[in-house]
Amino acid sequence: MKRFKKFYVEITSICNLACTFCPQTQRAKGFIQVEDFEKRLEQIKPFTDYIYFHLKGEPLLHPKIDELLDLSQKHGFKVNLTSNGTLLHKVKEKILTKPALRQMNFSLHSFDGHIGSTNKEGYIRSVLDFAREAVERTNMIISLRLWNLHTDNATNAERQRNREVLSIIEQQFGLDYFIEERVAPGKGLKIADRIYLNQDHEFEWPDLKAEEDDGKGFCYGLRNQAGILVDGTVVPCCLDGEGVIDLGNINDKPFSDIIEDDRAIKLVEGFSRREAVEELCRKCGYRKRFGAGA
C-alpha cells in the first residue's frame, strides 16, 4: 500500500491575517466539523502516520482544535501545525500539552507580510515565550520561519527588516553570534534544544494565470504527500491551495479509490517521466527544485 510522509489536513480555510505573500482563498470559508475530521482520519490512517494542519487558513482559529488534537492522538497520528502565531495567547492552554502535537512551525514573516501589523517585538517575544515553554514542558519541536527573501542578494531594507527579528531571537536565547553568519537559505539552524530557525525565499503559490514553460521536472505530489481541503476535496500537494487539481471528494468516495483513479495515476506517471501533466503543475516552480527526482 502506498504510504505518504506528509498528509495535509486543512481544518479551516479562514485566516485572521491577509498577508501579501499568501493569496486569499476564493473557496468557501469554513471550519471542519469534529465528526468529519475523525472520518477523514479513519480513511487516511492506512496511508500515513503524520498529518499537517496546513494548506490555507490559520489552524489556531479552529474553536475545537483541542478536540482535533485529541482525536489525532486517539488514532495514532503525530501532528505538525503551521501557524502565524498571533493567536497563541488565546489557545496556548488548549494545545500546549497535547501529546499528538509533534511540531509547530511559526511563520514569523507573517508580521511584515500583513499590512497593519503593530508591535513586532511583542509578537516575536510571545512566540519565543511559547517556544521556550513548549520545549520545557513537552517533547515538541519548534521551527521559526523567515521565508521572505526575494533573491539571494537581499536588499538593505529586507536585511534590516529581518535583523530586527533576528536580534530579538539572539537576545532571548543569549546567542553569542549573529544568526546571518550561520544560517543559509533553505537550511535550518539550531538555536536551542528542539528550536530551529529556517530562512528562505518568499513562498510563491502556483497560479493558473502564470506563464508555462516546457513542463519538465519532478514533484513528490501523490508520491510522498497528499492533502484534503476543508470541504473534503483531495489534492496532490500542499501547493494546491485552491483545489485546482480536484482528484475527488472524500465525502463522496473513499480516499483509497480516489488515489487510484485515472487523474491521480496520470499525474504520478507523468512525473515519473519528468513531465507535468496538470496545468497547475506546469505553472509551479517547485518541480524544478527537485531536479531529476527519485
Side-chain angles (χ1 to χ4, degrees), residues 4 46 51 81 85 90 94 106 112 146 149 156 183 187 190 206-207 216 239 250 258 267 280 294:
F4 298 95
I51 54 177
L81 188 155
K90 293 184 177 181
K94 276 188 171 185
F106 291 107
D112 289 311
L146 271 177
L149 300 178
N156 288 335
V183 70
K187 296 183 179 180
K190 184 176 182 179
D207 189 337
K216 299 297 183 181
L239 297 178
I250 202 168
I258 290 174
L267 185 149
L280 187 69

Side-chain angles (χ1 to χ4, degrees), residues 6 55 141 287:
K6 300 179 180 180
L55 256 154
I141 299 168
R287 60 185 156 80

Side-chain angles (χ1 to χ4, degrees), residues 5 17 33 63 82 87 108 112 131 157 166 186-187 194 199 215 217 219 235 250 258 274 280 294:
K5 294 180 180 178
L17 300 183
Q33 299 296 310
T82 298
L87 301 175
L108 300 184
D112 289 311
L166 299 178
K187 296 183 179 180
R194 284 180 282 119
Q199 197 160 3
C219 181
V235 293
I250 202 168
I258 290 174
R274 300 343 183 219
L280 187 69

